[in-house]
Amino acid sequence: MVAAPPGPCFAVEGAGPDLIHFTLCSEGAAQAPEPRCFLPAPAKCYSLCVPATPSVPAARLHRRLQQSLRQGPFARCRLLGLLCYSSGRGAPAAVEKGFLIQDPQGGPETERALEDLLRSQGEQPPPPLGVYEAGERGELWQSLWALRRAGGRELLRRAQVVAAEEPPLHPAVSSLRSAAVFHCLEAARGVVEQCTSLIPEAKAVLDLVDKCPKHSKKGKFPVIVIEGLDATGKTTVTQSVKESLNALLLRSPPTCISSWRKTFDDEPTLIRRAFYALGNYIVASEIAKASTKSPVIVDRVEESYKRMENPTCKEVDASPSREEVLRTVLHLIKNHCGSL
């Protein structure tokens, strides 16, 4: 095992919870151990990565590659998640994400199919392809090839592959805050704006968001958010509370965009979460407006409620009978919201 150098390191996500870490050495390191994610001959391994930046093109490219690598000429291969990260001081920073492809048969057709796949993605230049091969003394080497769209390739580097020490934190930790977590309306809106030329429904979502008031203010009636796991009776309790209080029931995503859920659910995580984040802003506006006229019951948008004020949260045991759970919920509402 060698300490991680300042250059690029890699983490392979296997079937279990542990990551396999390796790095590249420009000088020969014959005594260094080989990472256990690489198969012995005649098997052969390949890798490809795309930038881990929170952008729509990179997210969609990663998704397309993932889908393509699970079918056709790659059906016999095993696909493992791969992170490329820098190992400077502090937490490691993930700079690229991609895949390690294990071909148990090691035939040349897999490498040709990978080159064709990368050239067909519309990227200029195509993502480079890493090819792993044993050296004369049994050591493992990575050859990184730049692919020309018209055909042919150029060697970018050749380095020995050796096992690396595990960093103190997961390589993706440093990029979690920017990967697909939106802390303001502008951040989520910016992602969906990038999709307007790719997803027709994106423009309609943005139009609805733009119609919402910039600052939502809750009315005098209480807003009650009911959260819970599936199959715990949450829907039944929600409906009963609505009828008991003569309240308005709202859901997230709101009705005005719920018909587009399937479209955005099929997109990468970055786009999907941006869609639901904007849905929360729309619901927050609906909650504020509705609470000026009657009590409001919200089925799962706790986040929308939090955007207006800090809520009081009470946990209710859902294991008793439906009637008893309803009595408990109504008792809590009256205690915290006064007479309705």
Side-chain angles (χ1 to χ4, degrees):
M1 189 76 65
V2 298
C9 295
F10 300 84
V12 179
E13 300 173 335
D18 297 331
L19 298 179
I20 301 172
H21 297 267
F22 67 91
T23 188
L24 304 176
C25 297
S26 56
E27 300 294 334
Q31 302 303 316
E34 180 181 314
R36 52 188 173 86
C37 54
F38 295 95
L39 306 179
K44 201 168 183 179
C45 293
Y46 308 89
S47 64
L48 51 92
C49 289
V50 299
T53 55
S55 72
V56 167
R60 294 194 111 206
L61 173 59
H62 186 273
R63 170 62 68 88
R64 291 197 304 271
L65 292 173
Q66 184 180 52
Q67 293 172 338
S68 299
L69 290 170
R70 289 175 171 167
Q71 56 189 343
F74 312 109
R76 73 185 187 193
C77 299
R78 185 184 182 197
L79 190 65
L80 302 177
L82 180 69
L83 287 174
C84 173
Y85 62 95
S86 60
S87 58
R89 292 183 178 180
V95 293
E96 292 183 318
K97 58 187 293 189
F99 311 96
L100 181 71
I101 302 103
Q102 297 176 334
D103 180 6
Q105 299 179 18
E109 61 274 9
T110 299
E111 190 166 333
R112 288 196 296 267
L114 284 170
E115 291 190 13
D116 292 341
L117 172 64
L118 293 174
R119 290 191 179 99
S120 69
Q121 297 305 308
E123 298 296 309
Q124 186 62 35
L129 175 65
V131 181
Y132 299 82
E133 298 174 296
E136 296 178 355
R137 297 171 295 175
E139 71 276 20
L140 183 66
W141 293 82
Q142 182 209 63
S143 295
L144 188 66
W145 296 95
L147 306 178
R148 301 189 183 96
R149 186 165 301 283
R153 61 186 189 178
E154 176 185 355
L155 182 64
L156 296 177
R157 72 169 181 236
R158 189 169 188 268
Q160 187 174 349
V161 180
V162 295
E165 293 179 355
E166 181 179 356
L169 295 175
H170 190 288
V173 167
S174 62
S175 59
L176 283 178
R177 289 179 63 84
S178 61
V181 178
F182 305 101
H183 301 281
C184 63
L185 171 63
E186 290 73 21
R189 197 184 193 287
V191 170
V192 177
E193 280 181 339
Q194 295 180 56
C195 300
T196 53
S197 62
L198 307 170
I199 307 172
E201 295 82 356
K203 178 64 167 59
V205 173
L206 294 175
D207 289 342
L208 290 169
V209 171
D210 290 341
K211 293 177 182 178
C212 296
K214 296 298 182 182
H215 302 285
S216 299
K217 185 177 180 180
K218 190 180 81 66
K220 65 178 181 178
F221 289 94
V223 176
I224 302 152
V225 180
I226 299 181
E227 286 273 5
L229 300 175
D230 293 337
T232 58
K234 178 176 58 64
T235 301
T236 301
V237 170
T238 299
Q239 187 63 33
S240 299
V241 172
K242 170 188 175 299
E243 295 171 357
S244 299
L245 302 181
N246 192 27
L248 177 67
L249 176 62
L250 296 177
R251 302 180 187 276
S252 181
T255 304
C256 59
I257 66 170
S258 60
S259 61
W260 303 324
R261 287 182 65 178
K262 179 61 169 63
T263 297
F264 286 91
D265 282 346
D266 290 338
E267 291 293 331
T269 301
L270 178 72
I271 300 173
R272 186 168 65 249
R273 289 185 178 176
F275 167 75
Y276 283 104
L278 293 185
N280 282 338
Y281 279 99
I282 295 173
V283 171
S285 177
E286 293 181 350
I287 291 172
K289 182 179 179 181
S291 65
T292 63
K293 301 177 182 179
S294 69
V296 179
I297 308 296
V298 187
D299 187 355
R300 280 187 174 175
V301 264
E302 185 180 2
E303 280 302 315
S304 298
Y305 185 22
K306 287 179 179 178
R307 295 189 190 282
M308 294 188 294
E309 59 183 62
N310 293 324
T312 298
C313 297
K314 294 293 181 180
E315 184 175 322
V316 176
D317 182 7
S319 58
S321 66
R322 182 180 66 181
E323 292 76 14
E324 185 175 346
V325 172
L326 177 58
R327 284 196 298 269
T328 302
V329 171
L330 291 176
H331 177 71
L332 288 171
I333 292 173
K334 289 180 180 179
N335 282 348
H336 288 83
C337 301
S339 57
L340 296 174

